Every structure is written in C-alpha cells, then in structure tokens.
Amino acid sequence: MLSIYPIMHLRWDLQLQDTITSAREPSNVKKIEDEFGGLGSLIVILQSEDSSANYRIAKNLAEQMQKDPSVHFADFETDIDFYRKNKFLYASESDIEIMVHRIEKLKRDYILKSNPLYIDLRSVIDSITQTTAEQRAQLLSDLEKKYFDKLSVSHSNKTGTIRIIEIYPSHSISDLQANRQLYYTVQRALQKEEKPSDLHIHYAGKVYESIQTGKRLLPEAKMVGIVTTVLILVLLILNFYKQPQLILISALPIATPIFTTMACSYMFYGRINLFTLLLAIVLPGQALQIINHVLNRYFLEREQKLSPQLSIESALLGIGPSTAASSVTFATLFASLILIPLPGLQELGVLGSTGCILNWAMTLLFSTALLQVTQRKKPFTVTHALIHRKHRIYMLSNQVNWIIFSIIIVASLVGLYFGGTKIHIRNDFSATEINYKNATIDSLIAQTGFMNKTPIIVMIPESAESENLLEQFTKLKNDGNLSTVNSLFTLAQFSPNLQQKKMEKLRQLHNLITKEFRAALSKSELENLEKVEQALEFDETDDFEPPEYIAKKFRDKHGKQGRFAFIFSNIQENYGSECTKLYKELHQIEGIDNGTYQIAGSPITRAIFLDRITNNIRRPLQIGGVLVFLFMLVYYNRLSRALFTALPSVFAACWFIAALNFFDVKISAYSALIFPILIGASVDGSLQFFTAYYEKQKGTALTILRDKFFTIFLSQMAAFIGTYGMLISSHPGLRSMGYVSLTGLICIFIAQFTIFPLIAGSLDQYRLRKQRKKEAQK
C-alpha cells in the first residue's frame, strides 16, 4: 500500500533519447531541452484552395501559440521580406565572392574596351564581352533564384493552397502528457477559426508521432498485461486445480514484488524508462517460478501427513536454498548490465537485481504467511497435482548414454561451425521502431520547400561563436568532409555583424561600383546593377538584427540570443550505420569534439545508443556468465556439480546462437535484453533438476525427470510469461523480443530435458558400479 504513492508519481520516459540520459548524469539531450525545449515539433498542415484563408489561419494560430508558455516558438512565415531587404546580408560568403568576381570582371572588360592601347584587339574584346554578356544579365538573377525561389515556398507551396505551421514545444518531447495537451490546444485554437468549407487539416512531426506511439502502445501494454495475467492464471490452474484456494494465495505474492520494485524505481530514479518498463512483465514470471517451486514442495510434504506448520518449514528448508541460488543468478545477470555505459540499461540492471531479490524474499514470506493464516482453523486437504501416470522407468546403459551425448556434442559443434558464434546486431531502426509514413502528408509537404526533417540542434555558449561554427562547417563542407550534412543555419547567417569576413567582402563589392563604372553601362545593365546597389545599402552602425520570427529560433528560454544552430542531414535516419557516420563527421568540428558545442537530435541519439550497445553487449553477458558459475560453485561447494549444472545452459546457449545465425536473425537493442532472462531461466531449471537429484539420490535420473518435469516445465514457461504477449504487438522492437524469447525457450526446453537425464544417467551408472564394487569387496 505504501508503494501506491510513488508509483502514481513516476515519470514515464519512454523515448529512445531518455535511455542515454539520467538525472544524475544529464546528457546533451537533457541540457539542450532545458534551454531550448523539445527536440522535435508539431507540424500542422492546412490544405485549401483559399490561399488567403490559409495564410490568415496560419498567422492567427502561430501568434496564439507563441503566447502559450508551453511553446518555444511557432513558425509559419517565409523569409522573403527579409531577403528582399537584405539580399547580400542573407547570402552566403561564397555567393558574395562570386558576385565580387563577376563585377570585377565586368569592370575589367569595360576598362579594356575604353583603353585606346587595346583598340586593335577588338576581336579579343568582342569575345570577352560576348562571354560576359550572360554574366552581366546574371549579376543578381541566379542569386535570387537560389534563395528567393526556395524561401518563397519554405512553409507553403507557390500558390498558397498548402500552408505549414511548425510549433516547437518548450517541454521535452518525452513528456507524453504535455505533448497531448499541446495537440489539444492547437485543435481548440483551430476550431475557433472561421474556416473555408474545403479546408483539410493534417498533423505530423515528432510531437504528433509521440502521441500516436502512446495511443498505440498503451492499449497494447494493457493487452500484454491482460495476456500475462490470463497465462499466469492458466498456469496456476494447471498446477493447483485440485486446490483452487491456492490460486489466490499464489496470485497475491506474485503481484506484490513488482509494486515494491516500481516504488524503488521512484525512490532511485524518479522515472520508468523504455527498458525498466520491461520489469513489469519479467518479474511476475520469476515470482511465479518461485511460488511454483515452493508450493509444489509444500504439497509433497503435506502428502507425507505432516502438519501445515511443519510442511511450511520443511518446504522452506528444502526449496529455499535452490530458489535463492536461482534468484541471485537472475540478480547477477541483471546487475551485469551496469557495465554497459547507457543510463537506461544501468537503471534496468539496478532495478532488475533489486526486483529479483525482492521476488525471492517477499514471495517466500508472503506465500507462507498466507498458507498459515488460511489454515489456522481448518487445514485444507492437499493432493499433489500430476498430469502423468507413474510407471516403471528403466535406466539406459552407460554406453547408450555416451553415444547419445557424443552425437549431441558433435551436432552442436557442427551447428556452431556453420552457423557461427558471432551475434549480429541489427542497426536498422525501421525494424525496431514504429514508422509513421503517410503518403498524403508526404505528398503535401513535397509540394512545398519545407524541410521535412527534424534538425540536429547545436547549443553554443554565446552568439559570437556562430561565426566560428559557420566557418568550420563551410570549410569542412567545401573539402567534402561532411557528406552526410545538407546545410547549417546559424544566427551569423542572419546577422552580418557576427561575420566580419562577409562584411569586408560587402565593402569591397560596394567600392567596386563607381560613378564612372555606372556611366559606362547600358540601360539594361544599369537596371540590373541598381538592384545590386539597393541590396548593398546598409548602415555600418546598424546591428543588423534579424526580424523577430527569425531571431526567436536561435534564442533560448531565458531570452539570450544566438544560443542555437540547426543542422539538416541528408541521411536515412533509420540506418544506424548512416547515423554513426554522421556522428563521426560532425565531430570533425573542433567545438563539437571538445564539448564547446553540444549537439542533440534523433540520428545522434541513435548513433550513441547503437555504439554503446554494439561495443558493450558481450562484456556483461560474459562477466555475468562467469559470476553465475562462480556462485554455483560456492552453492554446491563442488566443482563437478557446478559443471554438471552449467552444462544444459551451455548447450542451450550454443543451440540458440546457432539457430539465430542459421535463420539470419539479428539481435536488436530490444531483443538483446532477453539474454539475461534466457540465461537465468535455463540456470533455474538446471538447479531444480540437479538439486532434486543430489538431495534424494533415490531412483534414477529418469524418475527425477518424470517427477520434476511438470514443475520445471511450468517454471520455464513462467519465466517468459510476459514475452508471449509481445508476439502480437505492433511495435517491431517488442515483437522481436517475443520471437527471440520463444526461440530461446525452445532451446532451453530441449537442453533441459535431454542433457540432464544423460548426465544424471551417467552418474547413476557410476554410482551403481561403485556400489557393486563395494558389495563385491565385502
């Protein structure tokens, strides 16, 4: 009950970007969100034949949203007016150099024509003037074409029948509730507008995709929860159908540890991230394993006519150590995830370990307490539920055992040889993330000049750094070292006072146009040149402040100007290899490499995430496997028993890897999380089999297999109880977890029920030979 308050106040950070940051170690994503806002926008597309109505509605919506505290800035205007007023202040430095070169050459040509010393070189002059005739006509037209045509349709098509409004929130893109509130605010604002009858409103952008993801995943999460609950009840009914009262006694202890673990999540981190959410479907399975072992042992003790109190004590003494070993195994494997330098996975490691220990302690205590309370007045009759008939099982000969074992070893080695031992990591995010492709929206945006890509945001310490960033970017781009980047926008491009080199070139261009030069031009050439002169009319003392609708894009939440720059890539963001290439190329910029400039964006997040998973996933699995074996060595205090217990898990792992490679199944960041659960489940089955074998030493390995088969089968099924619901999920990443877990479960089943009887059968033969030898000596 104490867990209710912290669970209700948990923050749900379910975006991929949240896995690379934490409250204790904020990443660039967190720092930029604190100063800028969400790393994505809500895009509103208006489609109507009434272009004036489109403009009016877009303007009203943008102005209203700009006043909303949840909005950092809203953009709907083109930059045409600013360009018309400050053509050359807007143009890039390289374009100004081209203009300087053209006017210098034009002036040189006219000097050449008027110089009497060169009067005999008319043919040469004619050829020169002929080649420059086109250049004279293009003094400004090609520059206008380059900028004007593009800017005139930056947020609309040429006719204005399609108009785009882009709204950047001031909150994190991970805040689903805030995203929904912004979306509803926009809808309410549009409902109040007087709209033409043919107006169609479409939505897109990261904010909208976040809402759609929540709308899709939350019902599916409920469905997976229902499927998990139903499966748990089915397993409990199968096991306890002769004692239905035990279903409630089992269900409450299974549900309790997950509540306390979620409460721990609030106390430790204050949030649930994309990975720790998986504990809600993993921990109930492990709790069901423990309760299954405990109650089955309790049944066996009650069948010996012991009182409930003695049966509980005997069950705890008998099954407690092996379930403790199994729980610590799970906890160790989860703890090994801490070695991956990814905060989201490290949180999963800590909470997973905590949950496993809580599962063991609370399940044992709560279940036995309920057993005592419910039987205080009148103990209920217990009959152990079996789905098989007991019949005589004959031992296999030692020779047959070793022949079968040898065949399995050879087959496993052959499978590993042809299948390979390398785990292939999937770097195609389209196969693990929900993709939102809408042909209608893509078609509408394609008719405009709108950049339908969320930019990579660069946070710089002060506006003066804009010029340095722009210079480095331009040089690297011209040298061909930024093949993955399309363009960069900084405040310096809109504020020439931040670009001293550009100002020097503008002064040079201004000084070239003398009265004598103007007098020598024809009427058409003079009209063309006057456009250049108009564009050069500026006051040296002017601060060249860009208009508000431009300046606000580069301003932080505190009003400090020039804090941000925007990089637009030309890569396919779903391809992890291209994201990694972009990430490396951007780090050629000195300020980004040394941390002066901080960058964040979807491809950057994916590059970091993929790099840390790919380069570190093997280490925690290897170290976790070693630690598990050492723990089993301590548990048994005998090397041979630890080796025998580990062998089924080793064979299951070999078959699993071979199967993945044979069927060309690539492991994603999601399905990689199944590995600790697979290893823990396989070790749990081996522990229960061999603990029962070493404890009783009665009968044969096959009788132990018969008696424990149903219990182990249910416990193995229970470990993956939540992943079965993922098989029908529409989320590709969750669905891949279901497929991988099912493959692993099949391998574990086969290994447990073949390797154990073969090993234990050989031990039986060894024991019998030893016993006969002693009898012969007597």
Side-chain angles (χ1 to χ4, degrees), residues 89-102:
L89 304 184
Y90 196 109
S92 68
E93 194 174 320
S94 60
D95 287 329
I96 295 176
E97 288 180 351
I98 294 173
M99 185 60 66
V100 170
H101 175 72
R102 288 178 180 175

Side-chain angles (χ1 to χ4, degrees), residues 17 163 243 294 347 424 461 544 628 665 719:
Q17 67 181 39
R163 177 70 63 171
Q243 296 84 30
V294 172
E347 291 175 17
H424 300 282
F544 300 108
V628 167
V665 177

Side-chain angles (χ1 to χ4, degrees), residues 273-477:
N273 69 55
L274 187 64
F275 295 142
T276 53
L277 181 64
L278 298 174
L279 293 175
I281 58 177
V282 171
L283 292 181
Q286 194 224 356
L288 180 56
Q289 275 188 311
I290 297 172
I291 205 81
N292 182 52
H293 294 315
V294 172
L295 292 182
N296 274 282
R297 183 59 179 260
Y298 173 76
F299 295 156
L300 292 174
E301 300 300 336
R302 284 296 309 277
E303 286 180 344
Q304 304 302 317
K305 306 302 181 182
L306 296 178
S307 66
Q309 182 66 32
L310 288 177
S311 297
I312 290 172
E313 293 177 4
S314 180
L316 287 177
L317 291 174
I319 207 68
S322 62
T323 53
S326 174
S327 299
V328 173
T329 296
F330 268 108
T332 302
L333 291 166
F334 273 116
S336 65
L337 295 176
I338 299 173
L339 299 173
I340 299 179
L342 204 65
L345 279 180
Q346 291 174 341
E347 291 175 17
L348 175 63
V350 172
L351 291 174
S353 301
T354 304
C356 290
I357 300 303
L358 288 175
N359 258 347
W360 178 75
M362 298 186 71
T363 302
L364 291 181
L365 289 173
F366 199 3
S367 61
T368 53
L370 286 174
L371 283 173
Q372 284 189 323
V373 169
T374 54
Q375 297 181 98
R376 180 174 297 171
K377 294 184 177 179
K378 183 180 179 181
F380 46 77
T381 304
V382 171
T383 303
H384 192 201
L386 294 174
I387 62 172
H388 56 76
R389 296 179 181 177
K390 287 193 174 184
H391 57 274
R392 186 174 181 82
I393 300 178
Y394 296 93
M395 294 176 58
L396 298 175
S397 67
N398 194 45
Q399 185 178 6
V400 173
N401 262 347
W402 278 105
I403 290 174
I404 298 174
F405 200 37
S406 300
I407 293 173
I408 292 175
I409 292 173
V410 172
S412 301
L413 293 175
V414 171
L416 287 176
Y417 177 78
F418 288 102
T421 58
K422 186 177 181 180
I423 298 175
H424 300 282
I425 304 296
R426 182 186 296 277
N427 62 8
D428 183 2
F429 284 89
S430 64
T432 57
E433 302 292 335
I434 298 176
N435 295 292
Y436 295 95
K437 292 293 183 182
N438 188 305
T440 302
I441 290 176
D442 292 343
S443 174
L444 293 174
I445 292 178
Q447 297 178 51
T448 71
F450 183 74
M451 292 185 180
N452 190 24
K453 266 192 176 181
T454 301
I456 296 167
I457 300 177
V458 185
M459 186 167 69
I460 55 182
E462 55 186 12
S463 59
E465 285 287 340
S466 297
E467 183 179 9
N468 182 37
L469 173 61
L470 183 60
E471 285 181 1
Q472 288 195 66
F473 175 85
T474 304
K475 185 177 184 305
L476 290 169
K477 185 67 176 175

Side-chain angles (χ1 to χ4, degrees), residues 43-231:
I43 297 172
V44 184
I45 305 172
L46 306 178
Q47 181 187 13
S48 170
E49 293 301 320
D50 190 344
S51 59
S52 60
N54 286 346
Y55 181 82
R56 171 180 53 81
I57 295 172
K59 182 180 179 181
N60 292 343
L61 178 62
E63 289 177 351
Q64 185 173 342
M65 288 298 101
Q66 194 62 58
K67 298 175 183 177
D68 195 308
S70 65
V71 175
H72 179 48
F73 69 84
D75 195 13
F76 81 102
E77 296 179 274
T78 65
D79 299 338
I80 298 174
D81 293 335
F82 181 71
Y83 174 77
R84 283 172 175 164
K85 182 180 178 181
N86 305 288
K87 289 183 176 65
F88 286 110
L89 304 184
Y90 196 109
S92 68
E93 194 174 320
S94 60
D95 287 329
I96 295 176
E97 288 180 351
I98 294 173
M99 185 60 66
V100 170
H101 175 72
R102 288 178 180 175
I103 293 182
E104 283 181 339
K105 189 168 185 182
L106 180 62
K107 189 173 182 179
R108 189 167 56 249
D109 291 342
Y110 275 96
I111 293 174
L112 186 64
K113 288 176 64 177
S114 62
N115 192 330
L117 296 177
Y118 292 92
I119 195 67
D120 296 327
L121 300 177
R122 186 171 299 278
S123 60
V124 178
I125 295 171
D126 291 341
S127 65
I128 293 175
T129 56
Q130 185 177 3
T131 57
T132 59
E134 293 182 359
Q135 295 178 358
R136 290 201 298 272
Q138 293 176 357
L139 282 174
L140 200 62
S141 61
D142 59 345
L143 208 59
E144 287 183 341
K145 183 175 180 58
K146 178 177 181 180
Y147 290 96
F148 188 86
D149 288 353
K150 180 179 178 181
L151 295 172
S152 64
V153 294
S154 60
H155 285 75
S156 71
N157 62 354
K158 291 184 178 181
T159 59
T161 57
I162 300 173
R163 177 70 63 171
I164 295 176
I165 308 100
E166 189 175 22
I167 304 169
Y168 273 87
S170 58
H171 57 260
S172 171
I173 202 72
S174 302
D175 192 337
L176 179 59
Q177 190 59 36
N179 290 341
R180 288 173 172 170
Q181 187 61 43
L182 175 61
Y183 175 65
Y184 296 143
T185 301
V186 170
Q187 284 188 319
R188 287 194 295 269
L190 289 173
Q191 287 174 356
K192 297 178 182 178
E193 292 289 336
E194 184 180 346
K195 298 182 284 292
S197 59
D198 64 339
L199 179 66
H200 297 281
I201 303 174
H202 308 274
Y203 296 92
K206 295 293 184 182
V207 171
Y208 186 67
E209 290 177 4
S210 169
I211 296 170
Q212 293 301 103
T213 298
K215 188 181 294 185
R216 179 182 295 187
L217 286 185
L218 291 180
E220 287 190 1
K222 293 179 182 178
M223 179 197 65
V224 171
I226 293 172
V227 170
T228 302
T229 303
V230 170
L231 289 175

